[in-house]
Amino acid sequence: MLFLGILIIAIGAFCQSSSYVPINKIKSWHWESYWLTQGVFAWLVFPLLGALLALSGCHSFGELMTVFSQHPRETFLTIFFGVLWGVGGLTFGLSMRYLGVALGQSIALGTCAALGTLLTPVFTGNTDSLTMPVIVGVVVTLAGIAIIGVAGGMKSSALPEEEKKKAVKDFNFTKGIIVALLAGFMSACFSIGLGYGECLVFADTKPLYASLPATMLVTFGGFLTNAAYCLYQNARNHTFSDYKDGSLWVRNLPFCILAGLLWYSQFFGLSLGKGYLTESPVLLAFSWCILMALNITFSNFWGIVLKEWKGCSRKTIIVLLIGLAILIFSSFLPQLLA
């Protein structure tokens, strides 16, 4: 059952890491237009559909709203940390703009993995879950991420500027690292929001679906942040015209829906996976870090497919693969130490 739980989380991570592939197929829309459109599905539509599973056929959506109203503090904090996570989502996109899918996601998600795992129990007062195996697992995860960062630095120093621009048009290692660290710090608020939202579910909800209502609230908060920024950019850049061309909707909307579905799959998979990890409190506490570590692993897989590491030396690729191997190992390490 434990392996099945990790496998489900891995499938969700693979889907999330693949979500930027359909985004690259979107044509003739400015960033703010397609980011908002896919966000409607990633942060509103699919999380709502996921939360409906928590009703388990025994409750109504109105009853779920009653649960929220009965816990106003937890509901507010879950949405509030979602708003903060939304800031991380915005800067997350910039990290990939400057570093590429592979390195950008590695640094941002690595920071997110460590801080989300460590800060969530601190904020929610559940520090008993911060056992030594969990802390060691986080340290090993960070070691793997650091090695990937070394590979990125080797890539930056070795490739000529022309080759860097071929792989990542706006490549800027220094600016990208700063933005990626900020993105990771703010993105960790998603985990904190889920921690506050643990009680926002029915007592008889299946463990597989228990975190989906909280996920809906966190993504709703993130949608508010992203929508405000995207609409501001639409007004500033005079790009509201993107939405007027019906032929572009026909072409771009399916890719936006697919990107939103793939992105949401990571948290749907996290909820289902945690349902199979209940017999292991250590892996349950470490589940956020597992998701982020696997996100990084698969994002680097896509980085290789998209030729972002093309032209790098064999030594650089070996360093990258070592970092990825350590990340995969870190997903199982806490259970081995428990």
Side-chain angles (χ1 to χ4, degrees):
M1 284 298 183
L2 295 180
F3 176 77
L4 180 59
I6 294 177
L7 178 62
I8 292 173
I9 293 175
I11 293 172
F14 179 77
C15 290
Q16 186 278 335
S17 300
S18 306
S19 65
Y20 294 93
V21 177
I23 283 180
N24 289 334
K25 300 292 184 180
I26 296 173
K27 304 296 183 182
S28 302
W29 272 359
H30 295 80
W31 175 88
E32 57 268 23
S33 301
Y34 71 70
W35 191 252
L36 177 59
T37 304
Q38 67 86 30
V40 169
F41 297 96
W43 309 318
L44 291 182
V45 176
F46 291 117
L48 173 61
L49 295 176
L52 294 179
L53 292 175
L55 304 181
S56 300
C58 305
H59 304 279
S60 68
F61 189 71
E63 289 177 287
L64 183 59
M65 293 298 103
T66 300
V67 172
F68 294 164
S69 65
Q70 291 172 344
H71 299 83
R73 177 179 177 272
E74 288 79 7
T75 299
F76 169 78
L77 288 173
T78 303
I79 296 174
F80 173 72
F81 279 100
V83 171
L84 296 182
W85 161 76
V87 177
L90 289 170
T91 50
F92 187 79
L94 286 176
S95 69
M96 288 183 292
R97 174 182 175 181
Y98 295 128
L99 297 176
V101 172
L103 188 56
Q105 287 207 46
S106 297
I107 304 301
L109 291 179
T111 308
C112 178
L115 294 181
T117 302
L118 298 176
L119 293 182
T120 298
V122 172
F123 273 82
T124 59
N126 186 29
T127 52
D128 290 343
S129 63
L130 279 180
T131 61
M132 186 55 65
V134 171
I135 294 174
V136 171
V138 171
V139 171
V140 173
T141 299
L142 288 176
I145 293 161
I147 292 173
I148 293 175
V150 170
M154 294 168 65
K155 167 188 174 182
S156 175
S157 60
L159 288 180
E161 197 66 27
E162 184 178 344
E163 286 296 320
K164 296 176 191 176
K165 297 299 183 182
K166 284 182 181 179
V168 183
K169 183 179 179 181
D170 298 316
F171 186 85
N172 187 313
F173 186 71
T174 302
K175 184 184 293 186
I177 290 294
I178 294 173
V179 171
L181 290 174
L182 174 62
F185 178 77
M186 298 303 291
S187 294
C189 291
F190 199 113
S191 178
I192 299 173
L194 290 181
Y196 277 114
E198 286 183 353
C199 64
L200 303 176
V201 70
F202 302 107
D204 58 352
T205 296
K206 297 178 181 178
L208 295 174
Y209 310 133
S211 67
L212 293 178
T215 300
M216 179 186 70
L217 293 181
V218 175
T219 57
F220 172 71
F223 175 78
L224 295 178
T225 305
N226 282 265
Y229 182 77
C230 288
L231 292 173
Y232 165 73
Q233 289 296 322
N234 279 139
R236 179 186 179 187
N237 299 328
H238 307 288
T239 54
F240 280 111
S241 58
D242 287 348
Y243 307 116
K244 296 180 180 179
D245 191 333
S247 62
L248 289 180
W249 277 100
V250 172
R251 172 184 171 78
N252 292 336
L253 187 59
F255 292 118
C256 289
I257 294 174
L258 179 58
L261 175 61
L262 290 172
W263 183 91
Y264 173 68
S265 295
Q266 64 179 313
F267 295 114
F268 186 75
L270 177 64
S271 181
L272 297 186
K274 288 169 67 174
Y276 288 102
L277 299 180
T278 52
E279 61 188 78
S280 173
V282 170
L283 283 183
L284 200 59
F286 195 62
S287 58
W288 176 262
C289 204
I290 292 174
L291 174 63
M292 294 299 113
L294 293 173
N295 277 343
I296 294 167
T297 301
F298 290 124
S299 67
N300 277 280
F301 163 79
W302 279 114
I304 294 172
V305 171
L306 297 174
K307 300 181 179 180
E308 292 179 359
W309 295 91
K310 183 179 180 181
C312 293
S313 67
R314 182 180 180 182
K315 183 178 179 180
T316 300
I317 298 301
I318 291 175
V319 172
L320 171 66
L321 294 177
I322 290 174
L324 293 178
I326 291 175
L327 283 183
I328 295 173
F329 174 68
S330 72
S331 299
F332 301 93
L333 179 60
Q335 183 63 21
L336 297 176
L337 296 176

